[in-house]
Amino acid sequence: MSFSEYDVTRRTRKENFLKQIDQLIDWNSIEKAIAAHYAPVSDAAGRPAYSGLLLFKMLLVRIWNGGLSDESVEDMSNSNLHVMRFLGLSLEDDVPDHSVLSRFRTRLTAADAWDELLARVNEQIQVHDIAVRKGCHVDASITQSPRRPKARPAYEVVNDREERDDEPGAQSAMRVIEVTQPGVDSEAYWIQKGGKSVFGYKQHTVVDGNGLVLTVETTAANCHDSKPLLGLLEKANIRPGTRIHADKAYSSQKHRAALKSRGIKNGIQDKALRNNPLTRRQLQRNSLITKARYVVERTFGSQARWFNAKILRYRGLAKAHAWHMLLAMAYNLKRLPRLVADHRLITQT
């Protein structure tokens, strides 16, 4: 250990959150998963490249500190001793600049690597035996995009063939297309929420009994909550005997039959139909499900409060999904030290 490394260690608190995470997580499996998609030997100038794990940790630090910009997390990595220690940097080491961080995130997004990384993070969490899988919960939350249209969409007529408009068949070759407005996220969409129009994406999420995120699907905001349900259950590898809790938006005969065929217990709220109101027993059941599924609402609320998660900085569905997956990993790791401490307290009493 160099004098500078010793000085950094001496000047950081033992119970700092970043130190706790380093003690609880074995980063080797995560580093291997990153290296499958990002393992450069040198940078453009021929210098040794920064490790993928270092850049991944910088992305986590960025979210843990309220969703900083890439430039701000670069500054923090240069000035904050706790962050420097977490990243494995000494005072003499260079810190990756914001452009390196951006390219790293883009590379992993193009490789569709984020789902695998969440699985590796969750494997490390499961080592501490704190996951609660008896009951899982499904819900969706909207992430707003500031890159919304500034005016009503414009349209233009396009002729697919080089013909005069008055020639036979020319009219049938014409089509009307929407003109893309500059700066607008063309993959996001509008939805009515609470009487207001919201433009962006929807985060479809499965959490365990602790509220830890198991898996996420990202769609445009106008996608109905229930549409990705069966795909989410497959991705989360929900075991037979597990009860899935969800609100009445997920209620359908198709979903009830699918859960039964998989041996998954139905915890979806009942929905009243025309001329067929809910019975007292169904109302009581819905009330019990509401009390059980608060944990998924807590997950969304905590992400919004801690990480400023409701506003998307990026454009496009793939980058929106990357943001949602990073939020999931940051949230699970943020909750880990407290959950481990509570679990140890219970086992000791």
Side-chain angles (χ1 to χ4, degrees), residues 123-177:
E123 284 176 0
Q124 290 298 312
I125 291 174
Q126 290 167 14
V127 168
H128 300 283
D129 195 29
I130 61 170
V132 179
R133 299 295 288 268
K134 293 181 181 179
C136 294
H137 315 272
V138 182
D139 206 353
S141 177
I142 297 172
T143 305
Q144 298 184 49
S145 172
R147 295 173 172 83
R148 57 183 179 271
K150 302 297 188 295
R152 291 184 179 181
Y155 297 90
E156 66 179 11
V157 176
V158 177
N159 196 334
D160 288 339
R161 295 186 296 187
E162 292 296 330
E163 294 175 318
R164 287 176 48 187
D165 293 350
D166 57 352
E167 290 180 354
Q171 294 294 327
S172 62
M174 291 182 178
R175 55 193 174 92
V176 178
I177 65 170

Side-chain angles (χ1 to χ4, degrees), residues 9-307:
T9 302
R10 182 176 62 85
R11 291 172 178 267
T12 52
R13 288 186 294 109
K14 294 181 180 179
E15 298 303 317
N16 174 263
F17 164 72
L18 297 178
K19 279 191 175 182
Q20 293 174 338
I21 291 297
D22 255 346
Q23 292 168 356
L24 294 171
I25 296 295
D26 180 0
W27 296 102
N28 289 330
S29 64
I30 299 171
E31 186 171 22
K32 289 178 182 177
I34 295 171
H37 308 287
Y38 183 88
V41 177
S42 61
D43 63 12
R47 296 167 298 193
Y50 298 106
S51 75
L53 181 61
L54 164 62
L55 299 172
F56 176 67
K57 284 184 171 183
M58 286 182 70
L59 292 178
L60 292 176
V61 169
R62 175 180 183 269
I63 295 177
W64 284 330
N65 287 275
L68 299 173
S69 65
D70 290 345
E71 292 84 353
S72 295
V73 78
E74 178 189 346
D75 292 340
M76 177 172 280
S77 302
N78 271 302
S79 60
N80 188 302
L81 294 180
H82 287 297
V83 172
M84 196 178 299
R85 190 64 181 168
F86 176 69
L87 299 178
L89 297 173
S90 66
L91 294 173
E92 295 91 350
D93 292 330
D94 292 328
V95 171
D97 66 31
H98 60 275
S99 63
V100 176
L101 196 60
S102 177
R103 288 195 296 271
F104 169 75
R105 183 175 51 245
T106 300
R107 177 83 67 87
L108 265 62
T109 299
D112 198 18
W114 300 110
D115 291 89
E116 182 184 358
L117 287 177
L118 176 61
R120 300 289 83 77
V121 168
N122 285 346
E123 284 176 0
Q124 290 298 312
I125 291 174
Q126 290 167 14
V127 168
H128 300 283
D129 195 29
I130 61 170
V132 179
R133 299 295 288 268
K134 293 181 181 179
C136 294
H137 315 272
V138 182
D139 206 353
S141 177
I142 297 172
T143 305
Q144 298 184 49
S145 172
R147 295 173 172 83
R148 57 183 179 271
K150 302 297 188 295
R152 291 184 179 181
Y155 297 90
E156 66 179 11
V157 176
V158 177
N159 196 334
D160 288 339
R161 295 186 296 187
E162 292 296 330
E163 294 175 318
R164 287 176 48 187
D165 293 350
D166 57 352
E167 290 180 354
Q171 294 294 327
S172 62
M174 291 182 178
R175 55 193 174 92
V176 178
I177 65 170
E178 182 176 336
V179 178
T180 301
Q181 300 180 31
V184 171
D185 189 341
S186 60
E187 296 184 77
Y189 215 87
W190 292 99
I191 188 174
Q192 286 286 329
K193 185 73 172 179
K196 297 181 179 180
S197 295
V198 182
F199 184 77
Y201 295 92
K202 193 172 283 186
Q203 174 188 176
H204 306 267
T205 302
V206 181
V207 305
D208 70 3
N210 279 320
L212 300 181
V213 180
L214 302 179
T215 192
V216 176
E217 279 287 347
T218 302
T219 66
N222 63 330
C223 176
H224 193 274
D225 290 3
S226 65
K227 190 173 182 180
L229 175 62
L230 300 183
L232 279 169
L233 299 183
E234 293 290 342
K235 282 181 65 175
N237 192 27
I238 302 299
R239 295 192 290 263
T242 303
R243 187 177 299 278
I244 288 293
H245 298 102
D247 63 31
K248 61 185 179 181
Y250 296 84
S251 179
S252 71
Q253 183 58 42
K254 173 186 174 182
H255 288 155
R256 287 191 288 271
L259 294 180
K260 185 176 181 180
S261 68
R262 290 166 168 79
I264 298 173
K265 297 179 181 179
N266 178 16
I268 300 175
Q269 289 182 325
D270 293 310
K271 180 169 59 177
L273 302 175
R274 181 178 296 179
N275 300 322
N276 188 16
L278 297 179
T279 65
R280 176 181 291 182
R281 183 170 183 176
Q282 287 175 314
L283 290 171
Q284 291 174 339
R285 178 178 179 272
N286 282 359
S287 179
L288 292 173
I289 293 172
T290 297
K291 294 177 181 178
R293 59 178 295 277
Y294 80 96
V295 293
V296 66
E297 300 290 350
R298 182 184 64 187
T299 297
F300 291 143
S302 297
Q303 288 181 349
R305 290 193 309 273
W306 297 344
F307 309 142

